[in-house]
Amino acid sequence: MEKLKTHVITILCTGFMSLGLFSCENFLDERPSKSLATPTSLEDLQSLLDHVSFINGRSTDLIDLVADDFFVFAENYTPRSLDERLSFVWDKDARYGNGWASTYQGPIYQSNVVLDQLQYIQIKDADRAIADQIQGSALFHRAFGFLHLAQLYCRPYSITASSDLGIVLRLKSDITENSVRATVQQTYDQILNDLKKAAELLPPQTPFPTRPSKAAAYAAIARTYLFMRDYTNAQLYSQMCLELTSELMDFNDLVPLGYPPVPRFNQETIFYNYCLASSGMLFPPRAKIDTVLYSQYESLDLRKRVYFYEDGGYAYFQGSFEAEESQLFDGLTTAEMWLTLAEAQARGGDVPMSMATLNQFLKTRYLTDSYTNRNAGSANEALTVVLLERRKELIFRGLRWPDLRRFNEEGANITLRRVIGGVEYTLPPGDPRWLMLIPDDVITRSGIPQNPR
């Protein structure tokens, strides 16, 4: 599936080296040769979108590095790179890795190439469904990239969204276009517009979870609305997704454990995506699971066995839906949709339905015949129960950081803390360090405004 034709690889590499997001002025001095081959058929465009490492593996592990799923000791902290260490403790000058560039150069740029080239291809009636799927896939990948970047580089969605600085919305493959930061409102409007158009074009299911489907588009829309704290629409689209695909793994079938404990492309995977983790702090034996979190798993909860292993008195994560040890899954799953639906129902005051949704999900995670249904006497109690299970289920999925941001927008008043070598570092609510700094070279070459400090 990942095999690309030579001329397709040529345009990929050329685009990577001269992406206009960083500079249009420098690039104008050296225009691409007209002789460079470009994708000219539907097969070529599908090949671009099927290149998993460029499309499905370009999000940044920074979103997990700055969250509170784990901690490290000083001996595992001090040998790391300066940027890694500064990011881990939310230093005001932290500039970690190249996550900004990899997402723009990967799914966003490649999707724009596909969308731009598609308009020049004559589509036969017999190929219309294929062309629609290609267009829908490109719109989905672009929006999914935008959504990931928005959780790191702009403020959470709020009543000030129309004036807050968002990300750069690259909607064309023309690398000479100037880079301009949109507002947060424009950012989320574009994400939703792309995803809703994709949902119209995509088939209900696809043969490979690396390819987006209608169910994946609905799931991404539900996630987007959840991040926006629009729980009515989060409920609507999570329901629409689950009407198309709702299967859950019975964790009893995963015991005794194989390797990896959770198989890649399992039946819960709606859309497969991963971040190529460059931070060694994210993995065992350095990353130790937050002890308070780990204590929340009951002995009969099979996630305690499947997602973690214990060594030397500490727990370590092993439950990624991505089999490679240097990668972390951050795609879309049915489990996430069950939990999104349960949360939205609780926030809407439908306590019986929220608990019914949660119980239907949780019984797949417990030892056979050992699960006792959760109950709640109020909407607030139901929400507390659901959010705890969301925390326990979606660990190391790139979701904890966006959750913390939206919770603080609702007044949760969560302060993050690290202790390294006896020194405490904190990140209080409302601090500008909840926004990552855009890489310096992007600021220098494009002239876009930097996030405040």
Side-chain angles (χ1 to χ4, degrees), residues 42 118 120-132:
L42 294 179
L118 187 60
Y120 298 113
I121 297 176
Q122 277 198 323
I123 310 298
K124 300 176 182 177
D125 289 342
D127 294 332
R128 174 50 57 190
I130 297 174
D132 285 349

Side-chain angles (χ1 to χ4, degrees), residues 250-252 255 294-306 362-372 374 392:
D250 184 341
F251 272 35
N252 288 278
V255 179
Y294 187 63
S295 69
Q296 300 293 323
Y297 294 87
E298 300 175 53
S299 60
L300 297 176
D301 185 343
L302 293 175
R303 289 173 298 184
K304 191 169 188 176
R305 198 182 317 178
V306 173
L362 278 181
K363 67 183 181 182
T364 67
R365 267 41 182 175
Y366 276 70
L367 192 66
T368 301
D369 298 327
S370 71
Y371 178 68
T372 302
R374 303 294 193 264
K392 290 156 63 178

Side-chain angles (χ1 to χ4, degrees), residues 27 34 49 110 175 258 278 282 293 342 414:
F27 181 74
K34 292 182 179 179
L49 295 175
Q110 304 314 318
I175 56 181
S278 57
L282 283 166
L293 170 61
I414 298 169

Side-chain angles (χ1 to χ4, degrees), residues 100-122:
W100 173 282
S102 65
T103 306
Y104 277 108
Q105 293 174 349
I108 295 171
Y109 177 71
Q110 304 314 318
S111 294
N112 284 334
V113 169
V114 169
L115 292 169
D116 288 347
Q117 292 301 315
L118 187 60
Q119 62 185 318
Y120 298 113
I121 297 176
Q122 277 198 323

Side-chain angles (χ1 to χ4, degrees), residues 3-180:
K3 185 176 180 181
L4 292 177
K5 294 186 176 181
T6 302
H7 63 284
V8 177
I9 294 176
T10 300
I11 193 171
L12 275 168
C13 296
T14 303
F16 280 177
M17 290 186 291
S18 53
L19 183 66
L21 178 64
F22 302 104
S23 171
C24 66
E25 292 83 357
N26 292 348
F27 181 74
L28 288 174
D29 296 332
E30 189 176 347
R31 294 187 179 277
S33 169
K34 292 182 179 179
S35 65
L36 285 175
T38 58
T40 58
S41 68
L42 294 179
E43 182 184 7
D44 292 343
L45 298 183
Q46 186 63 66
S47 294
L48 279 173
L49 295 175
D50 281 343
H51 201 295
V52 173
S53 62
F54 283 129
I55 301 295
N56 303 75
R58 288 282 161 166
S59 51
T60 171
D61 61 347
L62 176 59
I63 202 166
D64 284 309
L65 181 65
V66 292
D68 62 345
D69 285 335
F70 72 104
F71 67 96
V72 299
F73 289 146
E75 59 264 30
N76 302 128
Y77 171 82
T78 53
R80 310 312 304 175
S81 70
L82 177 62
D83 285 345
E84 192 176 357
R85 297 198 310 272
L86 293 180
S87 296
F88 183 67
V89 297
W90 317 292
D91 189 274
K92 65 181 181 63
D93 295 320
R95 292 163 172 81
Y96 175 75
N98 208 20
W100 173 282
S102 65
T103 306
Y104 277 108
Q105 293 174 349
I108 295 171
Y109 177 71
Q110 304 314 318
S111 294
N112 284 334
V113 169
V114 169
L115 292 169
D116 288 347
Q117 292 301 315
L118 187 60
Q119 62 185 318
Y120 298 113
I121 297 176
Q122 277 198 323
I123 310 298
K124 300 176 182 177
D125 289 342
D127 294 332
R128 174 50 57 190
I130 297 174
D132 285 349
Q133 183 169 347
I134 289 171
Q135 182 185 0
S137 296
L139 289 168
F140 176 94
H141 287 303
R142 184 172 74 183
F144 202 72
F146 285 157
L147 183 61
H148 179 79
L149 290 169
Q151 309 318 306
L152 290 166
Y153 296 104
C154 59
R155 286 199 60 215
Y157 190 90
S158 70
I159 58 173
T160 59
S162 60
S163 57
D164 291 336
L165 282 175
I167 58 172
V168 176
L169 296 175
R170 302 292 290 188
L171 304 180
K172 296 289 183 181
S173 60
D174 181 2
I175 56 181
T176 66
E177 283 191 356
N178 290 328
S179 295
V180 178

Side-chain angles (χ1 to χ4, degrees), residues 188-262:
Y188 278 90
D189 285 347
Q190 185 65 52
I191 291 167
L192 289 171
N193 288 339
D194 278 359
L195 290 174
K196 289 179 180 180
K197 180 63 175 177
E200 296 174 1
L201 296 167
L202 291 168
Q205 304 289 344
T206 55
F208 311 106
T210 53
R211 290 183 180 179
S213 62
K214 189 183 299 291
Y218 288 155
I221 294 169
R223 180 186 282 189
T224 302
Y225 277 125
L226 192 77
F227 291 168
M228 296 171 70
R229 296 181 292 125
D230 181 342
Y231 299 113
T232 299
N233 277 310
Q235 176 174 340
L236 172 64
Y237 280 94
S238 58
Q239 285 177 320
M240 292 169 68
C241 172
L242 291 171
E243 287 171 3
L244 293 175
T245 178
S246 61
E247 188 175 1
L248 293 165
M249 286 181 287
D250 184 341
F251 272 35
N252 288 278
D253 296 335
L254 300 180
V255 179
L257 299 181
Y259 184 81
V262 182

